[in-house]
Amino acid sequence: MIPVPLLVCVVGGWCAVYLTDTLLKSSVKHRIRYESWLAGRGLMLSPFHVRWQTTMFNRLFAYCARINPRAQYLWFNSGLVFGVVAMVGSVVLLIRTLQQTLAQMTSDNPRMGNQQTLQVVVPGINLPTSQLAYFFMALLLSGVIHELGHAVAALREQVRVNGFGIFVFVVYPGAFVDLFTTHLNIISPVQQLRIFCAGVWHNFVLCLAALAFLFLLPIFLFPVYSTGGGALVSEVVQGAAADGPRGLSVGDIVVGLEDCPVKGVEDWSSCLSHLSHSPQTGYCVPSSSLQPSWAHGRAFKRLDGTFDCCSNNSLTDLCFSYMKPQGKNSKEREYACMPVRKMVTGTQVCRTDEDCTAHTEVASICVTPSLENQTRFIRVTHPPNTHMLFVGYPPHLQYAVSLTNFVPRFGFLHLDLPVFLETFCKYVVSLSGALAVVNSVPCFALDGQWMLNALLEATLVTVVTDRQRRELIGFFLLLAGSALLAANVALGLWMVTAR
């Protein structure tokens, strides 16, 4: 469900704005002055919607439209081709997404939702509130670049731009350009298509640019940040599995999980995934260190069929299982409650007793933590500190900390700068790409509507000579595209909020 505090803040804020607007407009004393103030600043208010429009950027658009006309001709023709391809591709993608959503609705596998290319984003549910700033900044940038493409393309085709504006609908920001409709209607369908396709084309280019910047970020930051030496802890969730005196701290560099080396965030995730799906590793302990003083409690079976032998809820002891040294052929296992840090500090990992004899000449046995199914014991290496010992479900360890690949070369550098750049670029890639896809859909009120109409006028004029028939074909195509998009949004929203 949507978080109640967030919902209250959004609804309460809009109610306050709308109430103030209504009171001022109904006031005999302040109405004229207030409406003049709104008009002078290009502001328009309506329920859950505020819009600002200005002409101050018209000269900038005109200047951009005059730069290298031949290159721009090739540029916007490339956008035309991309727009037509994207219109078909977006329909295919929406059909595939709808199939995935329907399959997820009939499945109990929660991982299927992560396989979807397009997902409905709801702040506070599948978008963390801590990352709302990234989301809105990336969405606004994507919208501005989208409308910049429309404005420059329109001026190239001798269509006047009345103004540029920014709006906020509920919580989602966006941008728009106001084109002179009379000029737009008298140009050819191909010219119209270049204008209408320019928005999604610029979103696609922005997506590629952000993706390139993301891949080249280690090179850009190389003089001040190093990579490949481990994963740097940038945040530890308070009270989570990695928190505590012997846990992880901000600034620690994780270089290994058990025998799996960690050179970056990707290695951290892959190592945790590997440990989650692999049997619990054991540890080589010299046979001579087997002490009678160990608490050889009687092993008892848990509900899931595994065994435990530590019944005192000790925070320092853990139940280990091992083959009896004199009974290897009989495969008889022994269980003992042992001091966990003493058993695993500086020891070699193993699967069987033979793994221990292969690495050392000292007679050793392989002791394995006896844990519940899906639970793992993991040593986290973060020098110069001693190992952090984790017992639990591996994904919990992944959610407990935030890490980055970038390690500052100097102490005065802030840890959050690479994190900010990396996260912002990822949101730009996702949102700008999503805007390119969604706006390409032949749907009412989106760019796809005008792209489809212009395409039909440019291609069917000799095949279907009757203009009304062409408009009827376009209407049914738009109706189908709108239904497809609405079905994806409705089912996607239901999946996000209901589960």
Side-chain angles (χ1 to χ4, degrees):
M1 296 179 63
I2 300 176
V4 175
L6 180 62
L7 185 63
V8 170
C9 289
V10 171
V11 175
W14 277 111
C15 288
V17 170
Y18 184 66
L19 180 61
T20 303
D21 178 66
T22 303
L23 290 175
L24 289 173
K25 285 182 178 179
S26 60
S27 172
V28 177
K29 181 179 180 181
H30 302 288
R31 176 181 177 179
I32 297 178
R33 185 183 302 176
Y34 174 65
E35 290 181 346
S36 300
W37 182 84
L38 289 177
R41 286 159 179 78
L43 290 171
M44 290 184 62
L45 290 173
S46 59
F48 298 99
H49 182 268
V50 59
R51 189 177 76 165
W52 169 70
Q53 183 173 341
T54 181
T55 59
M56 66 183 345
F57 299 105
N58 286 10
R59 289 187 178 180
L60 175 63
F61 297 149
Y63 172 77
C64 292
R66 291 192 298 267
I67 299 175
N68 200 335
R70 180 170 178 80
Q72 288 204 29
Y73 176 77
L74 296 175
W75 175 262
F76 286 108
N77 274 338
S78 300
L80 184 153
V81 175
F82 171 80
V84 173
V85 174
M87 189 160 42
V88 178
S90 64
V91 172
V92 174
L93 185 59
L94 284 181
I95 293 174
R96 180 173 176 81
T97 303
L98 186 60
Q99 292 174 340
Q100 292 174 338
T101 303
L102 293 174
Q104 186 186 359
M105 291 174 64
T106 58
S107 173
D108 294 329
N109 185 4
R111 295 182 180 179
M112 290 189 64
N114 298 327
Q115 299 173 0
Q116 289 182 271
T117 306
L118 294 176
Q119 289 185 342
V120 176
V121 177
V122 180
I125 297 183
N126 58 349
L127 175 66
T129 54
S130 60
Q131 297 191 358
L132 286 178
Y134 293 110
F135 177 81
F136 291 134
M137 285 191 299
L139 186 60
L140 183 60
L141 175 63
S142 301
V144 169
I145 296 299
H146 178 100
E147 299 303 330
L148 174 65
H150 284 313
V152 175
L155 289 171
R156 277 201 71 261
E157 306 297 342
Q158 307 303 314
V159 174
R160 191 178 75 191
V161 176
N162 295 328
F164 166 83
I166 294 175
F167 68 88
V168 176
F169 177 69
V170 187
V171 294
Y172 296 99
F176 65 93
V177 287
D178 182 15
L179 303 181
F180 192 53
T181 307
T182 303
H183 289 175
L184 191 61
N185 290 334
I186 62 177
I187 61 177
S188 69
V190 174
Q191 290 177 298
Q192 292 178 359
L193 199 55
R194 276 197 286 264
I195 296 173
F196 297 141
C197 291
V200 297
W201 168 240
H202 278 71
N203 275 138
F204 176 70
V205 173
L206 176 62
C207 179
L208 292 182
L211 194 61
F213 183 83
L214 190 62
F215 281 114
L216 295 175
L217 191 58
I219 299 177
F220 295 148
L221 297 180
F222 178 77
V224 287
Y225 291 90
S226 63
T227 57
L232 178 70
V233 178
S234 59
E235 182 183 2
V236 180
V237 178
Q238 188 176 4
D243 191 25
R246 292 193 174 183
L248 296 175
S249 302
V250 174
D252 287 350
I253 302 177
V254 178
V255 298
L257 295 171
E258 290 298 345
D259 57 342
C260 185
V262 174
K263 296 183 179 180
V265 179
E266 295 78 12
D267 291 340
W268 164 271
S269 299
S270 61
C271 286
L272 282 177
S273 178
H274 172 72
L275 293 173
S276 298
H277 299 93
S278 301
Q280 174 65 53
T281 55
Y283 306 93
C284 295
V285 175
S287 301
S288 58
S289 66
L290 295 175
Q291 301 177 13
S293 59
W294 280 346
H296 288 263
R298 181 179 178 182
F300 57 91
K301 185 179 289 189
R302 301 187 182 97
L303 294 177
D304 61 355
T306 59
F307 288 88
D308 191 12
C309 57
C310 293
S311 56
N312 57 353
N313 296 323
S314 173
L315 298 178
T316 59
D317 297 340
L318 191 67
C319 184
F320 287 83
S321 68
Y322 59 95
M323 299 297 297
K324 296 180 69 172
Q326 69 278 14
K328 293 181 181 179
N329 294 331
S330 64
K331 299 186 181 300
E332 184 180 354
R333 300 201 71 85
E334 185 89 2
Y335 293 88
C337 190
M338 307 178 187
V340 59
R341 189 168 289 276
K342 180 179 179 180
M343 289 298 101
V344 302
T345 300
T347 58
Q348 180 73 29
V349 297
C350 59
R351 298 292 180 185
T352 62
D353 291 343
E354 287 73 16
D355 295 336
C356 297
T357 58
H359 293 90
T360 179
E361 297 179 355
V362 180
S364 301
I365 63 171
C366 184
V367 298
T368 305
S370 180
L371 302 170
E372 296 179 83
N373 291 332
Q374 306 302 323
T375 302
R376 294 291 183 271
F377 175 85
I378 301 175
R379 293 182 304 183
V380 181
T381 306
H382 57 121
N385 303 302
T386 58
H387 291 301
M388 186 195 85
L389 306 182
F390 169 80
V391 178
Y393 190 41
H396 293 172
L397 181 57
Q398 187 165 6
Y399 300 144
V401 294
S402 298
L403 302 107
T404 176
N405 292 320
F406 299 91
V407 179
R409 297 184 185 273
F410 308 101
F412 62 87
L413 293 172
H414 206 284
L415 301 180
D416 292 337
L417 176 60
V419 176
F420 170 80
L421 294 175
E422 198 172 24
T423 307
F424 180 68
C425 284
K426 289 179 180 178
Y427 272 100
V428 171
V429 170
S430 300
L431 294 174
S432 190
L435 282 178
V437 172
V438 173
N439 272 290
S440 300
V441 179
C443 171
F444 293 109
L446 294 179
D447 287 349
Q449 175 183 357
W450 316 113
M451 291 163 58
L452 178 66
N453 289 338
L455 181 63
L456 293 179
E457 287 297 318
T459 57
L460 295 184
V461 65
T462 57
V463 179
V464 183
T465 56
D466 186 6
R467 183 182 181 87
Q468 290 185 345
R469 289 186 179 181
R470 293 197 302 270
E471 291 179 350
L472 189 62
I473 293 173
F475 173 79
F476 282 113
L477 290 176
L478 288 173
L479 193 63
S482 301
L484 179 62
L485 181 60
N488 272 275
V489 173
L491 291 180
L493 188 61
W494 183 83
M495 290 296 296
V496 168
T497 55
R499 283 198 172 187

